[in-house]
Structures are given as C-alpha cells and as structure tokens.
Amino acid sequence: MHNDRTITEARLKRVLDERIRPAVYPESVPLAVTVWHAPGEPVPVAEGIAGSGVPIEAGAAWGPPWGTSWFTVAGRVPQEWAGRTVEALLDLGFDENMPGFQCEGLVYRPDGSPVKGLNPRNQWVRVAERAAGGEEVLLHVEASSNPVILDYHPFVPTELGDRETADDAPRYRLARMDLAVFDRTVWELVQDLEVLEGLMTELSPDDPRRWEILRAVERALDAVDLQDVGGTAAEARERLTAVLSAPAHASAHRISAVGHAHIDSAWLWPLRETVRKVARTTANMTALLEDEPEFVYAMSQAQQFAWIKEHRPEVYARVKKAVADGRFVPVGSMWVESDTNMPGGEALARQFVHGKRFFLEEFGIETEEVWLPDSFGYSAALPQLVRLAGAKWFLTQKISWSRTNKFPHHTFWWEGLDGTRVFTHFPPIDTYNAQLSGREVAHAVRNFQEKGGATRSLAPTGWGDGGGGTTREMLARAKRLADLEGSARVVFEKPSAFFEKAHAEYPQAPVWVGELYLELHRATLTSQARTKQGNRRSEHLLREAELWSATAAVRTGLPYPYEALDRLWKTVLLHQFHDILPGTSIAWVHREAAQTYAAVAAELEGLIGEAVTALAGDVPAGGTVVFNAAPHGRGGTPAHAAGPAGRSGPERATAEPREGGGFVLGNGVLRAEVDARGLVVSVYDLEAGRETVAPGAAANLLQLHQDFPNMWDAWDVDHFYRNTVTDLTDAGTLELTDDGAVRVVRAFGSSRVEQRISLPAGARRLDFVTEVDWHETEKFLKAAFPLDVHADRAAAETQFGHLYRATHTNTSWDAAKFEACAHRFVHVEEPGWGVALVNDSTYGYDVTRTVRPEDTGTTTTVRLSLLRAPRFPDPRTDQGVHRFRYALVPNASIGDAVREGYGINLPERRVPGSSVVPPLAQVGNEAVVISALKLADDGSGDVVVRLYESLGGRARARLEAGFPLGSASVCDLLERPLAAAATDGDAVPLALRPFQVLTLRLERRD
C-alpha cells in the first residue's frame, strides 16, 4: 500500500478547520446590543443591569484597562428554528489562545440570577434545547476589560499593571453577538475527529492502530458533503464507530480526570478581580454539572469560597447545592494555595486551621488532600503539618518546571523534617490546566515513572490561572477516551477516589526525604521586599497579639479579641498566596498589599497595646515594665513574661579609632574592626580566641549584580548572574555615632545606602541596620559574609526546625540550589564552633565555599539577598526606601541561632507600669520552643500552647502552666483533642522527637 499518511492527516486538518467546525452553528442572526460603562470600580449586579446603555455594533472598541462594561443583548428566536437547539454566541473580542488572561464576562438573566461565565474558550449560552420559535431572548453580561499583561512577547514591562498608571484606551473590539442554531451531530463529529486525530498522531507510524484510525478518518471525510456538512455528519460518524469502540488494552494506564480551574488569587489582576473570576468560573461549573451527570469538579482555596459567599451569594447557593450533591468537591485543606517556603511555622499551620475549618463549618466536609499544584517549591515541614491537620494526601505539579534535574517519582511517600510521611502524587501529565488532548494523554503515559508498580495518575482538567474551568469539549474527550484502544483509560472522579486507589495499589511507593525544591523561580525569595517585610512583621505581631491578649484575659479578665484575630489572620494568610508573597504580581497587588500590611500592623499594635497596658498595672513615677514575647528569656525577663526594667544594664560597648582608619568596637565578648572603607575586617571571639572573618576578606560587603534572567523576570534569577559583580567599597561617610555605633554611607548608581554597625553590650552579636534608597534597574543586591569556617553544609531555618543544604556543588542537585530559602537564620559550623547570620525580614540567601591558596583554609561565604529590580510584571519593583536588620553571631550553636533569630524579630516592649507578669506557660528545656500561646478558638477559655523541638534531637521537658491546671490534651492543629496528656500538678511532662510539633490544650481549673 502506498504511504499517503501525511496527505490524509493534512486533509483532516483543513476540512475540520474550514468546513466541519464552522458547520456546528449553521444558521445565525445578530442580536441587538447596548452597553453601559460602569464608572470606576465594579458595581452591584442590580446597578449594572439597570445602567442606561447605548447601542454598540460588532467591531466597536470597548473596555479601558480594568474597566467594567455591562452589555445587554436582545433578540427573538426565528420561527423557522422551532424544535432546534439554539445558543447565544457572545464574543467580547476574545483571543482564543489566551483563556484567563484577558476580557471575561458573567451572563445574567433580567432578574439578576447568574447563567454562566464567558471566556475565550467558552463563548456560548444555551437559550433553548428545543426552541418553540418566536421566544424573546434578553441577557445581561458583566464584562471586565482586564488588559493582557503577559502577551505573545512575554515579560515586556508595562504600566497596565495598575489602574493608577494604565491609560484609558479601549483594549478590545466587540466581535460576534448572535443567536445561532447548534447542530449537535456536527459538534459530536468534531469531537470524534479531534480525539482520533490526537490519538493517531501520538501513535508510532509502525503501530497498526495508527493506520486503522487513519483509514477510518479517510472514510469519514469521504462521507462528508462539504456543501452539506450537517446533512452528512451522521453518516461520517457511523464510519468512525468501529475505531471509537475498540477497547483499550488490559494494561492501559488509568487517568483520573478532575474538573479544575486553577485560579490565582491575585497575579496579573488585583484581588477584587479574582472575586469575579471565581464567580464566573463557579457559575460555569455548576451549570456544566447540571448538564453532565458524570462530571466532577474540584476547587481549592477556602478564601475563594468565602469570596463568592460574601460577594455573589446567588452563585454560592448553586455551589453549596452542588457540594451537597457530592459533585462540586472542596479540596486543598488550606485558606489559599500559599507559598510554602516563606510563611512562618505558625502561619503555615493557620493556613490549615482556617482552610479546614471553613470547609467543615460550611459543608461538613473533612478535606483529606492538600492541593498545591502551582506553588514554587515545598517546605520539608509540610508533611508533618498535613498530618497534624487531619489530611493524608498531597498533590503538586510545579516540580515538573524544574530546569536542572528531572524529579524521579510521580507517586511517592514524602518524608518531612520530623520523619512524618504523606502519600504524594505529582501528575505526569505535567499541567494543572489539562485539556485531555491526545498529546497530553500520551505524554502522561510516556512520562509516568512508576510503571510496573502503579497504573494510575491524576489530571486536573480545565482552563486555569485566570480561571474558566472545564469545558463540554473536555468532557466529550473523556467519554471517548474512557475505553479506547491505543489510549490511557480516562474517567472523571473525585481526587479522594484517585488517592484511595493509588494508595491501595502502591503502598510501598518510593520515599523522597526533605524539601521539594523547585529548580526555578528562586528570585521569588527576594522580589518585592516590602511585601515580604509586611508578612514577616505581621506574623510576629500576630504572635504577640495572641500571647499578650491571652495573658491579659487570664490575668486581668480583659476580653479576648477572637473576631479581630480571626479576621487579621485570614488577611495575612491571603497575602501568602503564591503570587503575592513571592512578589510576582502586578504593581496594583503589591501597592494594595503594602496598605493592607500597614493597616494590619496598626490594628495589631492596638490590640497589643491594650493587653500590655492592662498587664503593666499601676504607673509609678518612672516605672517601666519590659515585655518579652520571645520564646527565650533575655535581659532577666523570662520568655513570654514581663517584669520591671532593671535599674542598670551591662556596661556600654567601647568604640575607638582603628589604626589605618575606621573603628574598633568591643564589648568584652567580641572585638570588631571596621576599616576605612566601612567594611568589617575582623570579628574576634574573645572567649574562643578565634577570628570569624576569613583572612584577607571583608564582611558586610554589599555586592551588586547584573540581574536579567532569560525569562520570568520577577520569578527567576539565573546562575550566570554571578559572572559579574560590583563590590560596594567606597564610603562617602564613615563616622562614630553618639551611642557608639559606626555609621557608613555609600552611594552607587542612582541609589544610596546607610548602615549602622554596633555591638550590643554584653552580647555575642554584631548588629547591622541597613537602609537602602533603591533606584536601580535589573540589579541584585546582596550582603556578603566570608567566614573562616570549614563547612560542607549550611543549616537554614524553616517552619518548626531547620534543614541542611550542601555548600558544595558535588551533584547537579546541589548545584541547582544556588539560591535558597531561610527564615530567621542561616548557620554554618565546624566541630565545636559555628556562626549564625540572623535577620528580621529577608528570605533568600546563598552559601559558597572556596579554599584559600595561601593557607589552604576554607572560606565559607554566606550572603543575604536584599533587593532586586525586575521590570515585569511591576516595572518599578522595590523602588524607594527599605530597612533591613541582621546580625552576625560568632561561636553560635543551632540553639543560639534559634534564640537570636527570634530575638531580632521580637524586640522587647517597654510599657509604663510596675507589674511582674509571669508567663502563662513555660518550658524548661531551651530546645523546646513555644510557637503559639493563645486562647482556644472555640471561646471555651482553654489555653492552647503549640511547641516544637528546634534542634533536631530528642528532648524532654516540663510545660509549666502559669495558672491552676485542670486537664490537658494533645490536639491537632484545629485544636481538636486527639488524646489525653498526662499532668503532674500544674505541669505537663513532655518527650519530643526531633522537630516534632505538639499542640496542647490546657483546661483552666477554677
């Protein structure tokens, strides 16, 4: 037989594109359209429907950036269409290649009830299944003219990312607004041919099945009269019956499709637009559920459910019904799909608390899976928190984006810091926006790395990022792929059904230990410093507000601010979404985030102020009470306690001129030398008798790099940024301040930096306060500390513990971690002596090591990442003034690093008064750290203490209650008792394993 394969395949493509697809709607009539442009921000539905519209024709321009236009479409079904299926085709000017990234609409009936959303790949609205003929059609469309930020030429700087800087030129042209006859038979033929084409082109030319499909397609095309597609479509479909009914092989891979619309809670649109994106998508999905009995749709992020509950109650009513029916499935167990690298331990725990509690209270559903397909790497603390929240499965997809190493598993056990394991799936289809195309399904089968041990994978199916969800075309593909020779078997089912089956068939799945590091998007640890500082400060203020409010409630009867704390936590958790905290959203999002963090801080300071004032007692002349919210005692004040300020502290540190220029600082513990350049050339540990700074090197060296990644500007830093560096060594000002600190001022480029270097009296810590007035573009600013330490690994704090990363590049896995995340400290050591670098607001860092040729000693250089200046998606990222605090701690153990890290983030408070305020709870072993001390969320008055082992070893301790203790129980993160805890008087004896997190609920005895 002659090989005419390519000819037939080309014929299929042209006939589909030019004849069969257009015949899905063989007849149409235009609708009359009017438009009313809402002024300013979106208006309520009733106001939009009542707007006084003016006529508009197809082809007319509409929609300035971020505007809202209300279209009214009206018409009458022609009498000759009686008995036929009629749909409205409403094209707002869509580009079908950009679903979720441009204009969108939500269709309403005249009474204000929602119908469905309009998206580039979903432009139809069913008018009548069997039209009577003559009936009137009247619909309203709330259309948002969101500008395209990520265009065909991506990452181009644009001012469209903020309403304050965008122009007012219309972005779209109204396209087709018609009533049309929908030919179901032709539409089904399109689905048949698309599925067969997708399967055929993925099969090998040596596979007989490919040729069987090719010949069947050829016969079907022969049956199509190109001038009467509708009249011949049924015959064409009959000729495909045999190839579409051939069953899949017994060993065929099984794909569990899950309806899905990954909706970023903010990204290339502001938070307020996400509210509408969620409403559009959920309206679409509930409508599709009514039409398709086999369809199952899953939606994560409790915040998004809460938004539609508040802003679109009519849509939420449909969602609640579909949830009750078991087909609209809440998943995820978290308040938002958060970043998991940077949120603190308590914040990550509260993501589960507020997410799980919402689903329980609203739907009575205990979500069991954690659904994070798009976050930029996953903390090693997560497995333990997943289990402590009452969940047992984890899903991610983003690891497929890694650029250096291919992750070796798709279904596996993920083991966290403490040894907890969670059953995890990473879909081999390599997208969280699957369309179930032939290419995607075939890729999932080829890519699946558990062959021979497992047979199942999951496919999140639907348009996402900006929303849209699953389409009827995707469901049609799934039906045809349910049992089709040459393909995987595809079925829509709940995520829980997939996980149950996957776990049952593969209980001995391989184990991955430690973090799931994403080898991409490393710059998200630094971009938008204000957002990151707002998060860090909010987390610690929330800790203080809970601590002092609980203490005041128990000690003085001050009402505990349950509602305010609940609301403020949810606000902070929202801003930990994986495109807000990482700094990868448009300018509008980060401008609003700064305003929100300022408001959160002001309210929390008010709550803290009220509590500490109540606790401080009478105010004698000159009396001051020191409040210590840190989990370690300091300055004579115990952890989580308060007492009168001492009359005199340690002697002040000394400062004197240095030979050759600069100054020498001393405090009896350390001696630090700052040279004439304003650089730290020595930090000598007097107790250990050894130098901290590497020979011939200078610490606190600010280094400036060119920073222009290959793509994903705000997200990425590529390794080649290190190829060029400018050391900032010229000091315009070098002087000693009145309080004994060294002040250094430098100018570089268009920017200025002022630093204050000081040795606190009696402390083993050199403090740095760095204020940068930043006006650079595409630059990366780091603070380098070359240390005389031989270390092949560095410890970086993460949630409820720390993890080690190599300082060398022995393997490609080590080399790929050239920028990584740390919370309050990075620690390097050699046996018997280590150094910590602690900070109050940075997350990105790197560690490198070199061998000095002159003495063959090892220099380990730790660098904090301070600022970047990408231009996309926010062209003015981080411009302006920033203030950072960090400190170098020589002769530091991990325990010292933990203590100093908390200390720099939780400064003491000094309040007029005279009281001694004992702690509500204290733990005698410094390895055990209290991370939260609060009243129980249920209003019972019980005290909740969450603590963890911080050093990575076994720990025994006694939790001493500062009140008469009744019973005690071990709880999950949601404060639900799991087991009784033994008590010994007013204490609870503890035995913790390495990095164990433990939540205790303490009943107060009258």
Side-chain angles (χ1 to χ4, degrees), residues 291-302:
D291 295 340
E292 299 285 349
E294 298 176 359
F295 179 45
V296 175
Y297 179 75
M299 181 169 129
S300 68
Q301 306 193 66

Side-chain angles (χ1 to χ4, degrees), residues 390-403:
K392 57 184 180 181
W393 298 312
F394 184 81
L395 179 136
T396 175
Q397 190 279 317
K398 199 69 173 187
I399 297 300
S400 68
W401 286 44
S402 286
R403 286 292 183 266

Side-chain angles (χ1 to χ4, degrees), residues 129-401:
E129 184 67 34
R130 293 180 60 83
E135 60 259 59
E136 291 186 356
V137 176
L138 181 63
L139 298 169
H140 303 277
V141 181
E142 180 191 20
S144 58
S145 50
N146 302 332
V148 175
I149 305 294
L150 191 66
D151 214 330
Y152 286 99
H153 184 175
F155 318 120
V156 174
T158 175
E159 298 290 354
L160 294 173
D162 195 336
R163 189 158 197 163
E164 294 187 354
T165 57
D167 57 39
D168 58 0
R171 311 303 298 182
Y172 299 99
R173 290 192 175 275
L174 197 65
R176 186 177 188 181
M177 306 291 273
D178 291 348
L179 276 183
V181 171
F182 175 70
D183 191 321
R184 166 68 70 174
T185 303
V186 175
W187 183 85
E188 295 284 6
L189 176 60
V190 171
Q191 311 316 311
D192 292 343
L193 291 171
E194 285 185 345
V195 166
L196 289 172
E197 179 186 39
L199 173 59
M200 176 176 65
T201 54
E202 290 296 327
L203 295 172
S204 167
D206 297 328
D207 190 331
R209 174 65 169 163
R210 179 163 183 162
W211 291 90
E212 290 170 6
I213 295 172
L214 183 78
R215 294 307 169 207
V217 166
E218 184 176 48
R219 291 192 295 271
L221 293 178
D222 289 343
V224 175
D225 184 339
L226 300 183
Q227 281 68 51
D228 184 17
V229 174
T232 55
E235 171 63 21
R237 292 200 70 206
E238 287 181 13
R239 296 188 181 188
L240 298 173
T241 301
V243 290
L244 284 169
S245 59
H249 298 303
S251 61
H253 184 71
R254 297 176 182 272
I255 294 178
S256 298
V258 179
H260 185 239
H262 171 67
I263 303 179
D264 288 307
S265 288
W267 180 27
L268 305 180
W269 46 85
L271 288 167
R272 66 89 156 145
E273 190 57 30
T274 312
V275 176
R276 301 201 294 177
K277 284 177 173 287
V278 174
R280 294 176 201 123
T281 298
T282 53
N284 253 356
M285 295 303 95
T286 51
L288 194 59
L289 286 166
E290 293 174 1
D291 295 340
E292 299 285 349
E294 298 176 359
F295 179 45
V296 175
Y297 179 75
M299 181 169 129
S300 68
Q301 306 193 66
Q303 172 69 86
Q304 296 189 358
F305 285 85
W307 274 334
I308 52 174
K309 179 182 179 181
E310 177 183 358
H311 297 284
R312 289 290 193 271
E314 67 283 1
V315 177
Y316 191 64
R318 288 165 52 173
V319 169
K320 286 205 77 167
K321 179 182 182 304
V323 171
D325 292 341
R327 298 177 56 218
F328 193 116
V329 184
V331 295
S333 304
M334 299 175 75
W335 188 247
V336 294
E337 289 184 12
S338 76
D339 178 80
T340 74
N341 288 314
M342 291 175 282
E346 267 310 304
L348 203 52
R350 304 303 174 93
Q351 287 284 355
F352 291 103
V353 169
H354 289 284
K356 297 259 310 183
R357 187 173 289 153
F358 182 92
F359 294 137
L360 281 164
E361 292 176 352
E362 287 293 313
F363 309 120
I365 291 176
E366 179 89 37
T367 50
E368 294 189 308
E369 61 285 294
V370 176
W371 189 274
L372 287 173
D374 189 33
S375 298
F376 309 145
Y378 304 93
S379 162
L382 266 174
Q384 182 176 195
L385 298 182
V386 169
R387 299 304 297 267
L388 289 175
K392 57 184 180 181
W393 298 312
F394 184 81
L395 179 136
T396 175
Q397 190 279 317
K398 199 69 173 187
I399 297 300
S400 68
W401 286 44

